[in-house]
mmCIF file of all heavy atoms in Angstrom:
data_model
loop_
_atom_site.group_PDB
_atom_site.id
_atom_site.type_symbol
_atom_site.label_atom_id
_atom_site.label_comp_id
_atom_site.label_asym_id
_atom_site.label_seq_id
_atom_site.Cartn_x
_atom_site.Cartn_y
_atom_site.Cartn_z
ATOM 1 N N ALA A 187 97.968 -18.165 -31.153
ATOM 2 C CA ALA A 187 96.575 -18.418 -31.570
ATOM 3 C C ALA A 187 95.681 -17.390 -30.876
ATOM 4 O O ALA A 187 95.930 -16.942 -29.754
ATOM 5 C CB ALA A 187 96.162 -19.796 -31.163
ATOM 6 N N THR A 188 94.561 -17.073 -31.536
ATOM 7 C CA THR A 188 93.649 -16.097 -30.999
ATOM 8 C C THR A 188 93.104 -16.470 -29.629
ATOM 9 O O THR A 188 92.929 -15.655 -28.746
ATOM 10 C CB THR A 188 92.445 -15.883 -31.990
ATOM 11 O OG1 THR A 188 93.005 -15.500 -33.246
ATOM 12 C CG2 THR A 188 91.542 -14.785 -31.501
ATOM 13 N N GLU A 189 92.862 -17.833 -29.457
ATOM 14 C CA GLU A 189 92.306 -18.272 -28.178
ATOM 15 C C GLU A 189 93.299 -17.980 -27.053
ATOM 16 O O GLU A 189 92.891 -17.632 -25.922
ATOM 17 C CB GLU A 189 92.046 -19.800 -28.246
ATOM 18 C CG GLU A 189 90.889 -20.202 -29.118
ATOM 19 C CD GLU A 189 91.189 -20.053 -30.604
ATOM 20 O OE1 GLU A 189 92.377 -19.955 -30.926
ATOM 21 O OE2 GLU A 189 90.262 -20.046 -31.368
ATOM 22 N N LEU A 190 94.636 -18.161 -27.295
ATOM 23 C CA LEU A 190 95.602 -17.870 -26.269
ATOM 24 C C LEU A 190 95.652 -16.359 -25.954
ATOM 25 O O LEU A 190 95.732 -15.966 -24.761
ATOM 26 C CB LEU A 190 96.983 -18.333 -26.718
ATOM 27 C CG LEU A 190 98.136 -18.036 -25.741
ATOM 28 C CD1 LEU A 190 97.900 -18.776 -24.423
ATOM 29 C CD2 LEU A 190 99.489 -18.522 -26.328
ATOM 30 N N VAL A 191 95.582 -15.543 -26.980
ATOM 31 C CA VAL A 191 95.561 -14.070 -26.752
ATOM 32 C C VAL A 191 94.352 -13.660 -25.970
ATOM 33 O O VAL A 191 94.446 -12.847 -25.049
ATOM 34 C CB VAL A 191 95.633 -13.341 -28.118
ATOM 35 C CG1 VAL A 191 95.543 -11.825 -27.868
ATOM 36 C CG2 VAL A 191 96.870 -13.702 -28.849
ATOM 37 N N LYS A 192 93.207 -14.291 -26.220
ATOM 38 C CA LYS A 192 92.010 -13.961 -25.452
ATOM 39 C C LYS A 192 92.143 -14.418 -24.009
ATOM 40 O O LYS A 192 91.711 -13.731 -23.095
ATOM 41 C CB LYS A 192 90.799 -14.669 -26.127
ATOM 42 C CG LYS A 192 90.342 -14.078 -27.396
ATOM 43 C CD LYS A 192 89.111 -14.819 -27.922
ATOM 44 C CE LYS A 192 88.597 -14.238 -29.258
ATOM 45 N NZ LYS A 192 87.449 -14.933 -29.828
ATOM 46 N N GLY A 193 92.809 -15.575 -23.783
ATOM 47 C CA GLY A 193 93.005 -16.031 -22.424
ATOM 48 C C GLY A 193 93.836 -15.139 -21.609
ATOM 49 O O GLY A 193 93.498 -14.901 -20.418
ATOM 50 N N VAL A 194 94.920 -14.579 -22.160
ATOM 51 C CA VAL A 194 95.778 -13.674 -21.359
ATOM 52 C C VAL A 194 95.243 -12.248 -21.402
ATOM 53 O O VAL A 194 95.891 -11.351 -20.819
ATOM 54 C CB VAL A 194 97.222 -13.705 -21.870
ATOM 55 C CG1 VAL A 194 97.810 -15.096 -21.639
ATOM 56 C CG2 VAL A 194 97.302 -13.308 -23.310
ATOM 57 N N THR A 195 94.110 -12.036 -22.045
ATOM 58 C CA THR A 195 93.473 -10.704 -21.950
ATOM 59 C C THR A 195 92.270 -10.720 -21.051
ATOM 60 O O THR A 195 92.172 -9.778 -20.210
ATOM 61 C CB THR A 195 93.000 -10.317 -23.397
ATOM 62 O OG1 THR A 195 94.114 -10.296 -24.299
ATOM 63 C CG2 THR A 195 92.360 -8.922 -23.360
ATOM 64 N N PHE A 196 91.466 -11.757 -21.100
ATOM 65 C CA PHE A 196 90.229 -11.757 -20.351
ATOM 66 C C PHE A 196 90.215 -12.665 -19.119
ATOM 67 O O PHE A 196 89.429 -12.494 -18.224
ATOM 68 C CB PHE A 196 89.082 -12.174 -21.229
ATOM 69 C CG PHE A 196 88.887 -11.292 -22.451
ATOM 70 C CD1 PHE A 196 89.094 -11.771 -23.734
ATOM 71 C CD2 PHE A 196 88.502 -9.966 -22.316
ATOM 72 C CE1 PHE A 196 88.911 -10.957 -24.852
ATOM 73 C CE2 PHE A 196 88.359 -9.146 -23.422
ATOM 74 C CZ PHE A 196 88.557 -9.641 -24.667
ATOM 75 N N VAL A 197 91.164 -13.665 -19.029
ATOM 76 C CA VAL A 197 91.180 -14.581 -17.937
ATOM 77 C C VAL A 197 92.285 -14.186 -16.921
ATOM 78 O O VAL A 197 92.040 -13.771 -15.788
ATOM 79 C CB VAL A 197 91.375 -16.031 -18.419
ATOM 80 C CG1 VAL A 197 91.343 -16.997 -17.211
ATOM 81 C CG2 VAL A 197 90.278 -16.394 -19.403
ATOM 82 N N VAL A 198 93.505 -14.298 -17.379
ATOM 83 C CA VAL A 198 94.669 -13.820 -16.592
ATOM 84 C C VAL A 198 95.208 -12.613 -17.366
ATOM 85 O O VAL A 198 95.935 -12.825 -18.381
ATOM 86 C CB VAL A 198 95.772 -14.900 -16.422
ATOM 87 C CG1 VAL A 198 96.892 -14.317 -15.565
ATOM 88 C CG2 VAL A 198 95.176 -16.114 -15.754
ATOM 89 N N PRO A 199 94.953 -11.359 -16.965
ATOM 90 C CA PRO A 199 95.141 -10.202 -17.854
ATOM 91 C C PRO A 199 96.590 -9.819 -18.050
ATOM 92 O O PRO A 199 96.938 -8.635 -17.833
ATOM 93 C CB PRO A 199 94.340 -9.148 -17.142
ATOM 94 C CG PRO A 199 94.370 -9.538 -15.661
ATOM 95 C CD PRO A 199 94.369 -11.022 -15.672
ATOM 96 N N LEU A 200 97.441 -10.754 -18.415
ATOM 97 C CA LEU A 200 98.861 -10.442 -18.614
ATOM 98 C C LEU A 200 99.025 -9.549 -19.848
ATOM 99 O O LEU A 200 100.051 -8.861 -19.958
ATOM 100 C CB LEU A 200 99.642 -11.737 -18.782
ATOM 101 C CG LEU A 200 99.709 -12.628 -17.537
ATOM 102 C CD1 LEU A 200 100.503 -13.902 -17.860
ATOM 103 C CD2 LEU A 200 100.377 -11.920 -16.385
ATOM 104 N N ALA A 201 98.084 -9.583 -20.787
ATOM 105 C CA ALA A 201 98.201 -8.776 -21.983
ATOM 106 C C ALA A 201 98.266 -7.254 -21.679
ATOM 107 O O ALA A 201 98.827 -6.494 -22.460
ATOM 108 C CB ALA A 201 97.026 -9.058 -22.918
ATOM 109 N N PHE A 202 97.791 -6.888 -20.464
ATOM 110 C CA PHE A 202 97.842 -5.495 -20.103
ATOM 111 C C PHE A 202 99.193 -5.088 -19.584
ATOM 112 O O PHE A 202 99.413 -3.898 -19.294
ATOM 113 C CB PHE A 202 96.715 -5.204 -19.032
ATOM 114 C CG PHE A 202 95.342 -5.260 -19.596
ATOM 115 C CD1 PHE A 202 94.621 -6.462 -19.625
ATOM 116 C CD2 PHE A 202 94.754 -4.138 -20.158
ATOM 117 C CE1 PHE A 202 93.329 -6.508 -20.163
ATOM 118 C CE2 PHE A 202 93.474 -4.211 -20.669
ATOM 119 C CZ PHE A 202 92.760 -5.359 -20.677
ATOM 120 N N VAL A 203 100.070 -6.080 -19.333
ATOM 121 C CA VAL A 203 101.435 -5.746 -18.947
ATOM 122 C C VAL A 203 102.139 -4.926 -20.044
ATOM 123 O O VAL A 203 102.697 -3.899 -19.797
ATOM 124 C CB VAL A 203 102.236 -7.030 -18.608
ATOM 125 C CG1 VAL A 203 103.720 -6.675 -18.391
ATOM 126 C CG2 VAL A 203 101.649 -7.687 -17.391
ATOM 127 N N ASN A 204 102.057 -5.436 -21.238
ATOM 128 C CA ASN A 204 102.702 -4.643 -22.347
ATOM 129 C C ASN A 204 102.023 -4.816 -23.704
ATOM 130 O O ASN A 204 102.089 -3.933 -24.547
ATOM 131 C CB ASN A 204 104.173 -5.038 -22.464
ATOM 132 C CG ASN A 204 104.418 -6.430 -22.980
ATOM 133 O OD1 ASN A 204 103.509 -7.298 -23.018
ATOM 134 N ND2 ASN A 204 105.636 -6.711 -23.465
ATOM 135 N N TRP A 205 101.385 -5.941 -23.996
ATOM 136 C CA TRP A 205 100.839 -6.168 -25.355
ATOM 137 C C TRP A 205 99.929 -4.993 -25.784
ATOM 138 O O TRP A 205 100.191 -4.385 -26.822
ATOM 139 C CB TRP A 205 100.080 -7.470 -25.431
ATOM 140 C CG TRP A 205 100.956 -8.666 -25.770
ATOM 141 C CD1 TRP A 205 102.289 -8.614 -26.137
ATOM 142 C CD2 TRP A 205 100.565 -9.987 -25.886
ATOM 143 N NE1 TRP A 205 102.732 -9.889 -26.373
ATOM 144 C CE2 TRP A 205 101.684 -10.777 -26.255
ATOM 145 C CE3 TRP A 205 99.351 -10.672 -25.634
ATOM 146 C CZ2 TRP A 205 101.674 -12.149 -26.421
ATOM 147 C CZ3 TRP A 205 99.294 -12.076 -25.828
ATOM 148 C CH2 TRP A 205 100.436 -12.764 -26.200
ATOM 149 N N LEU A 206 98.877 -4.768 -25.013
ATOM 150 C CA LEU A 206 97.860 -3.815 -25.450
ATOM 151 C C LEU A 206 98.405 -2.375 -25.487
ATOM 152 O O LEU A 206 98.252 -1.675 -26.471
ATOM 153 C CB LEU A 206 96.611 -3.902 -24.528
ATOM 154 C CG LEU A 206 95.886 -5.239 -24.722
ATOM 155 C CD1 LEU A 206 94.766 -5.382 -23.677
ATOM 156 C CD2 LEU A 206 95.297 -5.369 -26.133
ATOM 157 N N PRO A 207 99.090 -1.871 -24.429
ATOM 158 C CA PRO A 207 99.610 -0.499 -24.531
ATOM 159 C C PRO A 207 100.747 -0.446 -25.566
ATOM 160 O O PRO A 207 100.957 0.615 -26.221
ATOM 161 C CB PRO A 207 100.169 -0.185 -23.089
ATOM 162 C CG PRO A 207 100.305 -1.524 -22.465
ATOM 163 C CD PRO A 207 99.294 -2.429 -23.059
ATOM 164 N N ALA A 208 101.494 -1.526 -25.730
ATOM 165 C CA ALA A 208 102.613 -1.480 -26.737
ATOM 166 C C ALA A 208 102.114 -1.381 -28.157
ATOM 167 O O ALA A 208 102.709 -0.717 -28.981
ATOM 168 C CB ALA A 208 103.480 -2.714 -26.554
ATOM 169 N N LEU A 209 100.920 -2.005 -28.379
ATOM 170 C CA LEU A 209 100.342 -1.880 -29.725
ATOM 171 C C LEU A 209 100.032 -0.428 -30.045
ATOM 172 O O LEU A 209 100.196 0.038 -31.187
ATOM 173 C CB LEU A 209 99.103 -2.751 -29.810
ATOM 174 C CG LEU A 209 99.326 -4.255 -29.735
ATOM 175 C CD1 LEU A 209 97.963 -4.987 -29.712
ATOM 176 C CD2 LEU A 209 100.094 -4.728 -30.967
ATOM 177 N N ARG A 210 99.570 0.313 -29.012
ATOM 178 C CA ARG A 210 99.306 1.731 -29.201
ATOM 179 C C ARG A 210 100.604 2.522 -29.485
ATOM 180 O O ARG A 210 100.633 3.361 -30.364
ATOM 181 C CB ARG A 210 98.585 2.276 -27.972
ATOM 182 C CG ARG A 210 98.474 3.799 -27.919
ATOM 183 C CD ARG A 210 97.455 4.348 -28.831
ATOM 184 N NE ARG A 210 96.095 3.836 -28.575
ATOM 185 C CZ ARG A 210 94.981 4.381 -29.085
ATOM 186 N NH1 ARG A 210 95.063 5.397 -29.959
ATOM 187 N NH2 ARG A 210 93.808 3.845 -28.773
ATOM 188 N N VAL A 211 101.637 2.193 -28.709
ATOM 189 C CA VAL A 211 102.925 2.933 -28.856
ATOM 190 C C VAL A 211 103.504 2.626 -30.250
ATOM 191 O O VAL A 211 104.062 3.537 -30.877
ATOM 192 C CB VAL A 211 103.930 2.472 -27.721
ATOM 193 C CG1 VAL A 211 105.303 3.043 -28.035
ATOM 194 C CG2 VAL A 211 103.404 2.899 -26.384
ATOM 195 N N LEU A 212 103.406 1.372 -30.668
ATOM 196 C CA LEU A 212 104.046 0.965 -31.930
ATOM 197 C C LEU A 212 103.142 1.248 -33.160
ATOM 198 O O LEU A 212 103.575 1.072 -34.291
ATOM 199 C CB LEU A 212 104.367 -0.528 -31.890
ATOM 200 C CG LEU A 212 105.326 -0.951 -30.803
ATOM 201 C CD1 LEU A 212 105.536 -2.471 -30.742
ATOM 202 C CD2 LEU A 212 106.685 -0.252 -30.974
ATOM 203 N N GLY A 213 101.915 1.680 -32.912
ATOM 204 C CA GLY A 213 100.992 1.987 -34.010
ATOM 205 C C GLY A 213 100.541 0.743 -34.705
ATOM 206 O O GLY A 213 100.278 0.742 -35.933
ATOM 207 N N ARG A 214 100.387 -0.340 -33.930
ATOM 208 C CA ARG A 214 99.951 -1.631 -34.523
ATOM 209 C C ARG A 214 98.435 -1.836 -34.237
ATOM 210 O O ARG A 214 97.905 -1.353 -33.256
ATOM 211 C CB ARG A 214 100.746 -2.772 -33.899
ATOM 212 C CG ARG A 214 102.214 -2.724 -34.249
ATOM 213 C CD ARG A 214 102.385 -3.293 -35.600
ATOM 214 N NE ARG A 214 103.811 -3.367 -36.041
ATOM 215 C CZ ARG A 214 104.250 -4.036 -37.074
ATOM 216 N NH1 ARG A 214 103.384 -4.647 -37.875
ATOM 217 N NH2 ARG A 214 105.523 -4.032 -37.397
ATOM 218 N N ASP A 215 97.828 -2.687 -35.142
ATOM 219 C CA ASP A 215 96.426 -3.017 -34.878
ATOM 220 C C ASP A 215 96.284 -4.094 -33.808
ATOM 221 O O ASP A 215 97.154 -4.973 -33.692
ATOM 222 C CB ASP A 215 95.813 -3.522 -36.222
ATOM 223 C CG ASP A 215 95.810 -2.450 -37.325
ATOM 224 O OD1 ASP A 215 95.639 -1.248 -36.900
ATOM 225 O OD2 ASP A 215 95.916 -2.821 -38.487
ATOM 226 N N ASP A 216 95.190 -3.989 -33.065
ATOM 227 C CA ASP A 216 94.896 -4.952 -32.042
ATOM 228 C C ASP A 216 94.359 -6.240 -32.752
ATOM 229 O O ASP A 216 93.337 -6.181 -33.405
ATOM 230 C CB ASP A 216 93.878 -4.381 -31.075
ATOM 231 C CG ASP A 216 93.604 -5.340 -29.931
ATOM 232 O OD1 ASP A 216 93.962 -6.519 -29.985
ATOM 233 O OD2 ASP A 216 93.019 -4.871 -28.929
ATOM 234 N N PRO A 217 94.989 -7.423 -32.560
ATOM 235 C CA PRO A 217 94.490 -8.623 -33.236
ATOM 236 C C PRO A 217 93.095 -9.018 -32.759
ATOM 237 O O PRO A 217 92.382 -9.767 -33.453
ATOM 238 C CB PRO A 217 95.516 -9.685 -32.870
ATOM 239 C CG PRO A 217 96.228 -9.167 -31.650
ATOM 240 C CD PRO A 217 96.180 -7.690 -31.753
ATOM 241 N N LEU A 218 92.647 -8.610 -31.581
ATOM 242 C CA LEU A 218 91.291 -8.897 -31.103
ATOM 243 C C LEU A 218 90.287 -7.828 -31.439
ATOM 244 O O LEU A 218 89.083 -8.056 -31.218
ATOM 245 C CB LEU A 218 91.338 -9.079 -29.536
ATOM 246 C CG LEU A 218 92.209 -10.175 -28.999
ATOM 247 C CD1 LEU A 218 92.099 -10.260 -27.472
ATOM 248 C CD2 LEU A 218 91.832 -11.591 -29.600
ATOM 249 N N GLY A 219 90.769 -6.759 -32.035
ATOM 250 C CA GLY A 219 89.831 -5.700 -32.422
ATOM 251 C C GLY A 219 89.107 -5.005 -31.261
ATOM 252 O O GLY A 219 87.956 -4.599 -31.402
ATOM 253 N N LEU A 220 89.765 -4.890 -30.099
ATOM 254 C CA LEU A 220 89.164 -4.247 -28.923
ATOM 255 C C LEU A 220 89.087 -2.768 -29.132
ATOM 256 O O LEU A 220 89.844 -2.195 -29.925
ATOM 257 C CB LEU A 220 90.000 -4.609 -27.688
ATOM 258 C CG LEU A 220 90.115 -6.073 -27.329
ATOM 259 C CD1 LEU A 220 91.107 -6.278 -26.184
ATOM 260 C CD2 LEU A 220 88.731 -6.630 -26.972
ATOM 261 N N PRO A 221 88.206 -2.074 -28.381
ATOM 262 C CA PRO A 221 88.117 -0.608 -28.459
ATOM 263 C C PRO A 221 89.442 0.036 -28.120
ATOM 264 O O PRO A 221 90.241 -0.475 -27.312
ATOM 265 C CB PRO A 221 87.041 -0.310 -27.430
ATOM 266 C CG PRO A 221 86.230 -1.528 -27.292
ATOM 267 C CD PRO A 221 87.200 -2.650 -27.481
ATOM 268 N N GLY A 222 89.709 1.245 -28.666
ATOM 269 C CA GLY A 222 90.978 1.888 -28.437
ATOM 270 C C GLY A 222 91.298 2.243 -26.997
ATOM 271 O O GLY A 222 92.441 2.219 -26.587
ATOM 272 N N TRP A 223 90.231 2.515 -26.212
ATOM 273 C CA TRP A 223 90.486 2.883 -24.815
ATOM 274 C C TRP A 223 91.061 1.755 -23.996
ATOM 275 O O TRP A 223 91.660 2.007 -22.933
ATOM 276 C CB TRP A 223 89.175 3.361 -24.139
ATOM 277 C CG TRP A 223 88.034 2.350 -24.151
ATOM 278 C CD1 TRP A 223 87.032 2.218 -25.021
ATOM 279 C CD2 TRP A 223 87.824 1.298 -23.151
ATOM 280 N NE1 TRP A 223 86.215 1.168 -24.670
ATOM 281 C CE2 TRP A 223 86.676 0.617 -23.540
ATOM 282 C CE3 TRP A 223 88.507 0.918 -21.996
ATOM 283 C CZ2 TRP A 223 86.234 -0.469 -22.787
ATOM 284 C CZ3 TRP A 223 88.071 -0.146 -21.282
ATOM 285 C CH2 TRP A 223 86.904 -0.819 -21.653
ATOM 286 N N VAL A 224 90.944 0.513 -24.479
ATOM 287 C CA VAL A 224 91.523 -0.630 -23.736
ATOM 288 C C VAL A 224 93.037 -0.506 -23.639
ATOM 289 O O VAL A 224 93.651 -0.969 -22.683
ATOM 290 C CB VAL A 224 91.139 -1.933 -24.437
ATOM 291 C CG1 VAL A 224 91.769 -3.149 -23.761
ATOM 292 C CG2 VAL A 224 89.604 -2.131 -24.404
#
Side-chain angles (χ1 to χ4, degrees):
T188 304
E189 289 74 15
L190 178 59
V191 178
K192 288 181 179 178
V194 296
T195 301
F196 302 114
V197 182
V198 182
L200 295 177
F202 289 89
V203 171
N204 70 341
W205 270 358
L206 293 172
L209 292 174
R210 169 74 62 166
V211 173
L212 301 175
R214 294 282 184 169
D215 295 329
D216 184 345
L218 297 181
L220 298 173
W223 59 266
V224 175

